[in-house]
Short mmCIF file of all heavy atoms in Angstrom, two decimals:
data_model
loop_
_atom_site.label_atom_id
_atom_site.label_comp_id
_atom_site.label_asym_id
_atom_site.label_seq_id
_atom_site.Cartn_x
_atom_site.Cartn_y
_atom_site.Cartn_z
N ARG F 1 14.02 101.05 32.19
CA ARG F 1 14.45 102.12 31.31
C ARG F 1 15.97 102.17 31.32
O ARG F 1 16.60 102.07 32.37
CB ARG F 1 13.86 103.45 31.77
CG ARG F 1 14.04 104.59 30.79
CD ARG F 1 13.29 105.84 31.22
NE ARG F 1 11.86 105.61 31.27
CZ ARG F 1 10.96 106.59 31.45
NH1 ARG F 1 11.38 107.84 31.63
NH2 ARG F 1 9.68 106.31 31.51
N GLU F 2 16.55 102.34 30.12
CA GLU F 2 18.01 102.35 30.02
C GLU F 2 18.48 103.51 29.17
O GLU F 2 17.79 103.97 28.25
CB GLU F 2 18.51 101.04 29.39
CG GLU F 2 18.04 100.80 27.97
CD GLU F 2 18.64 99.56 27.33
OE1 GLU F 2 19.45 98.86 27.99
OE2 GLU F 2 18.33 99.30 26.15
N LEU F 3 19.69 103.96 29.46
CA LEU F 3 20.31 105.02 28.67
C LEU F 3 20.61 104.50 27.27
O LEU F 3 21.15 103.41 27.10
CB LEU F 3 21.60 105.48 29.33
CG LEU F 3 22.44 106.45 28.51
CD1 LEU F 3 21.76 107.81 28.42
CD2 LEU F 3 23.84 106.58 29.09
N VAL F 4 20.27 105.30 26.28
CA VAL F 4 20.66 105.01 24.90
C VAL F 4 21.89 105.84 24.55
O VAL F 4 22.94 105.32 24.21
CB VAL F 4 19.52 105.31 23.92
CG1 VAL F 4 19.98 105.05 22.48
CG2 VAL F 4 18.29 104.48 24.25
N ALA F 5 21.74 107.16 24.64
CA ALA F 5 22.84 108.06 24.33
C ALA F 5 22.55 109.42 24.94
O ALA F 5 21.40 109.85 24.96
CB ALA F 5 23.05 108.19 22.82
N ALA F 6 23.59 110.07 25.42
CA ALA F 6 23.43 111.39 26.01
C ALA F 6 24.64 112.25 25.67
O ALA F 6 25.74 111.73 25.45
CB ALA F 6 23.27 111.29 27.52
N ILE F 7 24.41 113.56 25.64
CA ILE F 7 25.47 114.51 25.31
C ILE F 7 25.47 115.60 26.37
O ILE F 7 24.43 116.15 26.73
CB ILE F 7 25.27 115.07 23.88
CG1 ILE F 7 26.42 116.01 23.51
CG2 ILE F 7 23.92 115.74 23.71
CD1 ILE F 7 26.44 116.34 22.01
N SER F 8 26.65 115.89 26.89
CA SER F 8 26.77 116.90 27.94
C SER F 8 26.87 118.29 27.33
O SER F 8 27.02 118.46 26.11
CB SER F 8 28.01 116.63 28.78
OG SER F 8 29.18 116.97 28.05
N GLY F 9 26.80 119.30 28.17
CA GLY F 9 26.93 120.67 27.70
C GLY F 9 28.26 120.93 27.02
O GLY F 9 28.35 121.74 26.09
N GLY F 10 29.29 120.19 27.46
CA GLY F 10 30.61 120.35 26.87
C GLY F 10 30.83 119.48 25.65
O GLY F 10 31.91 119.52 25.04
N GLY F 11 29.81 118.69 25.29
CA GLY F 11 29.90 117.88 24.08
C GLY F 11 30.34 116.44 24.31
O GLY F 11 30.47 115.67 23.36
N THR F 12 30.57 116.05 25.56
CA THR F 12 30.93 114.67 25.84
C THR F 12 29.73 113.77 25.61
O THR F 12 28.63 114.06 26.06
CB THR F 12 31.41 114.51 27.29
OG1 THR F 12 32.55 115.35 27.49
CG2 THR F 12 31.80 113.06 27.57
N ILE F 13 29.96 112.67 24.90
CA ILE F 13 28.87 111.75 24.53
C ILE F 13 29.05 110.43 25.26
O ILE F 13 30.15 109.88 25.33
CB ILE F 13 28.83 111.54 23.02
CG1 ILE F 13 28.41 112.83 22.32
CG2 ILE F 13 27.89 110.40 22.65
CD1 ILE F 13 28.48 112.77 20.81
N ASN F 14 27.95 109.95 25.79
CA ASN F 14 27.90 108.66 26.47
C ASN F 14 26.86 107.80 25.76
O ASN F 14 25.73 108.25 25.55
CB ASN F 14 27.52 108.86 27.94
CG ASN F 14 27.60 107.59 28.74
OD1 ASN F 14 28.31 106.67 28.38
ND2 ASN F 14 26.89 107.54 29.85
N LYS F 15 27.24 106.57 25.39
CA LYS F 15 26.32 105.70 24.66
C LYS F 15 26.30 104.31 25.28
O LYS F 15 27.32 103.84 25.81
CB LYS F 15 26.77 105.53 23.20
CG LYS F 15 26.52 106.68 22.29
CD LYS F 15 26.90 106.26 20.87
CE LYS F 15 26.99 107.42 19.95
NZ LYS F 15 27.39 107.02 18.59
N ALA F 16 25.17 103.66 25.14
CA ALA F 16 25.09 102.25 25.51
C ALA F 16 25.93 101.43 24.53
O ALA F 16 25.98 101.74 23.34
CB ALA F 16 23.65 101.78 25.48
N ASP F 17 26.57 100.40 25.03
CA ASP F 17 27.40 99.56 24.16
C ASP F 17 26.58 98.98 23.00
O ASP F 17 27.10 98.81 21.88
CB ASP F 17 28.02 98.42 24.96
CG ASP F 17 29.13 98.89 25.89
OD1 ASP F 17 29.64 100.01 25.68
OD2 ASP F 17 29.47 98.15 26.83
N SER F 18 25.31 98.70 23.25
CA SER F 18 24.48 98.04 22.25
C SER F 18 24.18 98.92 21.04
O SER F 18 23.74 98.42 20.01
CB SER F 18 23.16 97.59 22.88
OG SER F 18 22.46 98.70 23.41
N VAL F 19 24.41 100.24 21.15
CA VAL F 19 24.09 101.13 20.03
C VAL F 19 25.33 101.78 19.43
O VAL F 19 25.22 102.52 18.45
CB VAL F 19 23.07 102.22 20.44
CG1 VAL F 19 21.84 101.58 21.07
CG2 VAL F 19 23.70 103.24 21.38
N LYS F 20 26.49 101.52 20.00
CA LYS F 20 27.71 102.13 19.46
C LYS F 20 27.93 101.68 18.02
O LYS F 20 27.77 100.51 17.69
CB LYS F 20 28.91 101.75 20.34
CG LYS F 20 28.92 102.48 21.67
CD LYS F 20 30.12 102.07 22.53
CE LYS F 20 30.10 102.84 23.86
NZ LYS F 20 31.21 102.42 24.76
N GLY F 21 28.28 102.64 17.18
CA GLY F 21 28.48 102.37 15.77
C GLY F 21 27.20 102.42 14.96
O GLY F 21 27.26 102.33 13.72
N ARG F 22 26.05 102.54 15.62
CA ARG F 22 24.77 102.56 14.91
C ARG F 22 23.96 103.82 15.18
O ARG F 22 23.29 104.32 14.26
CB ARG F 22 23.93 101.34 15.31
CG ARG F 22 24.60 100.01 15.03
CD ARG F 22 23.64 98.84 15.27
NE ARG F 22 23.18 98.76 16.65
CZ ARG F 22 21.88 98.78 16.99
NH1 ARG F 22 20.95 98.89 16.06
NH2 ARG F 22 21.54 98.67 18.25
N PHE F 23 23.98 104.31 16.40
CA PHE F 23 23.17 105.48 16.78
C PHE F 23 24.07 106.68 17.01
O PHE F 23 25.18 106.56 17.53
CB PHE F 23 22.41 105.20 18.07
CG PHE F 23 21.29 104.18 17.95
CD1 PHE F 23 21.13 103.39 16.83
CD2 PHE F 23 20.39 104.03 19.00
CE1 PHE F 23 20.10 102.47 16.73
CE2 PHE F 23 19.36 103.12 18.93
CZ PHE F 23 19.23 102.33 17.80
N THR F 24 23.54 107.86 16.65
CA THR F 24 24.26 109.11 16.86
C THR F 24 23.35 110.11 17.55
O THR F 24 22.23 110.37 17.08
CB THR F 24 24.74 109.70 15.52
OG1 THR F 24 25.58 108.75 14.85
CG2 THR F 24 25.53 110.98 15.75
N VAL F 25 23.82 110.69 18.65
CA VAL F 25 23.08 111.74 19.34
C VAL F 25 23.72 113.08 19.01
O VAL F 25 24.95 113.18 18.91
CB VAL F 25 23.07 111.50 20.87
CG1 VAL F 25 24.47 111.53 21.47
CG2 VAL F 25 22.15 112.50 21.57
N SER F 26 22.87 114.09 18.80
CA SER F 26 23.36 115.42 18.50
C SER F 26 22.38 116.44 19.04
O SER F 26 21.24 116.11 19.37
CB SER F 26 23.56 115.60 17.00
OG SER F 26 22.34 115.47 16.31
N LYS F 27 22.82 117.67 19.13
CA LYS F 27 21.95 118.74 19.61
C LYS F 27 22.17 119.98 18.78
O LYS F 27 23.22 120.16 18.16
CB LYS F 27 22.18 119.03 21.09
CG LYS F 27 23.58 119.55 21.41
CD LYS F 27 23.71 119.86 22.89
CE LYS F 27 25.11 120.38 23.20
NZ LYS F 27 25.24 120.79 24.62
N ASP F 28 21.16 120.83 18.78
CA ASP F 28 21.22 122.11 18.08
C ASP F 28 20.73 123.16 19.06
O ASP F 28 19.52 123.30 19.28
CB ASP F 28 20.35 122.05 16.83
CG ASP F 28 20.50 123.29 15.97
OD1 ASP F 28 20.83 124.37 16.51
OD2 ASP F 28 20.27 123.19 14.76
N ASN F 29 21.66 123.88 19.67
CA ASN F 29 21.27 124.87 20.68
C ASN F 29 20.43 126.00 20.08
O ASN F 29 19.55 126.55 20.75
CB ASN F 29 22.51 125.45 21.35
CG ASN F 29 23.19 124.44 22.26
OD1 ASN F 29 22.56 123.48 22.70
ND2 ASN F 29 24.47 124.63 22.52
N ALA F 30 20.68 126.32 18.83
CA ALA F 30 19.93 127.40 18.18
C ALA F 30 18.46 127.03 17.99
O ALA F 30 17.58 127.89 18.00
CB ALA F 30 20.55 127.75 16.84
N LYS F 31 18.21 125.73 17.83
CA LYS F 31 16.83 125.25 17.62
C LYS F 31 16.24 124.65 18.89
O LYS F 31 15.12 124.13 18.87
CB LYS F 31 16.80 124.21 16.50
CG LYS F 31 17.17 124.78 15.13
CD LYS F 31 17.03 123.72 14.05
CE LYS F 31 17.34 124.32 12.69
NZ LYS F 31 17.21 123.31 11.60
N ASN F 32 17.00 124.68 19.99
CA ASN F 32 16.51 124.07 21.25
C ASN F 32 16.06 122.63 21.01
O ASN F 32 14.93 122.26 21.33
CB ASN F 32 15.36 124.87 21.84
CG ASN F 32 15.82 126.15 22.49
OD1 ASN F 32 16.95 126.59 22.29
ND2 ASN F 32 14.96 126.76 23.28
N ALA F 33 16.96 121.84 20.43
CA ALA F 33 16.56 120.48 20.04
C ALA F 33 17.70 119.50 20.23
O ALA F 33 18.89 119.86 20.20
CB ALA F 33 16.11 120.46 18.59
N VAL F 34 17.30 118.24 20.45
CA VAL F 34 18.25 117.14 20.51
C VAL F 34 17.72 116.03 19.60
O VAL F 34 16.50 115.87 19.46
CB VAL F 34 18.47 116.64 21.96
CG1 VAL F 34 17.17 116.15 22.57
CG2 VAL F 34 19.54 115.58 22.03
N TYR F 35 18.63 115.33 18.97
CA TYR F 35 18.25 114.34 17.96
C TYR F 35 18.91 112.99 18.25
O TYR F 35 19.95 112.91 18.91
CB TYR F 35 18.70 114.81 16.57
CG TYR F 35 18.24 116.20 16.22
CD1 TYR F 35 19.09 117.29 16.37
CD2 TYR F 35 16.94 116.42 15.76
CE1 TYR F 35 18.66 118.58 16.06
CE2 TYR F 35 16.51 117.70 15.45
CZ TYR F 35 17.38 118.78 15.60
OH TYR F 35 16.95 120.04 15.30
N LEU F 36 18.30 111.95 17.72
CA LEU F 36 18.88 110.61 17.77
C LEU F 36 18.73 109.98 16.39
O LEU F 36 17.63 109.68 15.96
CB LEU F 36 18.21 109.74 18.83
CG LEU F 36 18.84 108.37 19.02
CD1 LEU F 36 20.23 108.50 19.64
CD2 LEU F 36 17.95 107.47 19.90
N GLN F 37 19.85 109.85 15.70
CA GLN F 37 19.85 109.18 14.40
C GLN F 37 20.14 107.71 14.65
O GLN F 37 21.18 107.36 15.22
CB GLN F 37 20.93 109.77 13.49
CG GLN F 37 21.05 109.10 12.15
CD GLN F 37 19.83 109.27 11.28
OE1 GLN F 37 19.27 110.36 11.20
NE2 GLN F 37 19.39 108.19 10.62
N MET F 38 19.22 106.86 14.22
CA MET F 38 19.33 105.42 14.47
C MET F 38 19.47 104.70 13.13
O MET F 38 18.56 104.75 12.30
CB MET F 38 18.10 104.92 15.22
CG MET F 38 17.83 105.67 16.52
SD MET F 38 16.46 104.97 17.46
CE MET F 38 15.09 105.41 16.40
N ASN F 39 20.60 104.07 12.92
CA ASN F 39 20.86 103.31 11.71
C ASN F 39 21.04 101.83 12.03
O ASN F 39 21.25 101.46 13.20
CB ASN F 39 22.12 103.83 11.02
CG ASN F 39 22.00 105.28 10.59
OD1 ASN F 39 20.92 105.76 10.25
ND2 ASN F 39 23.12 106.00 10.62
N SER F 40 20.96 101.01 11.02
CA SER F 40 21.15 99.56 11.19
C SER F 40 20.29 99.03 12.33
O SER F 40 20.76 98.28 13.21
CB SER F 40 22.63 99.23 11.46
OG SER F 40 23.45 99.71 10.41
N LEU F 41 19.03 99.41 12.31
CA LEU F 41 18.12 99.04 13.40
C LEU F 41 17.95 97.53 13.49
O LEU F 41 17.96 96.81 12.48
CB LEU F 41 16.78 99.72 13.22
CG LEU F 41 16.75 101.22 13.58
CD1 LEU F 41 15.54 101.90 12.97
CD2 LEU F 41 16.77 101.38 15.09
N LYS F 42 17.78 97.08 14.74
CA LYS F 42 17.57 95.66 15.02
C LYS F 42 16.25 95.49 15.77
O LYS F 42 15.79 96.42 16.44
CB LYS F 42 18.71 95.14 15.91
CG LYS F 42 20.10 95.34 15.33
CD LYS F 42 21.17 94.88 16.32
CE LYS F 42 22.57 95.07 15.77
NZ LYS F 42 23.62 94.62 16.74
N PRO F 43 15.65 94.30 15.69
CA PRO F 43 14.40 94.08 16.44
C PRO F 43 14.54 94.39 17.93
O PRO F 43 13.59 94.87 18.55
CB PRO F 43 14.12 92.60 16.19
CG PRO F 43 14.72 92.33 14.85
CD PRO F 43 15.97 93.15 14.81
#
């Protein structure tokens, strides 16, 4: 298991090099949710 992307409480984002420029992590505290938008997907 490997980290893809994570966001801290202060908004700092950490991403795997393999997904930089393609994946975006975000959160919505009002909705109690976290999201991962994945673009330019590869096999």
Side-chain angles (χ1 to χ4, degrees):
R1 191 173 297 189
E2 63 175 0
L3 172 70
V4 178
I7 183 167
S8 73
T12 300
I13 292 173
N14 187 23
K15 285 186 193 178
D17 288 342
S18 60
V19 307
K20 287 179 180 177
R22 301 188 299 123
F23 291 10
T24 302
V25 62
S26 62
K27 64 178 180 175
D28 187 333
N29 289 339
K31 295 184 177 180
N32 285 14
V34 60
Y35 307 99
L36 185 68
Q37 177 66 43
M38 305 185 291
N39 299 328
S40 302
L41 284 162
K42 303 176 180 180

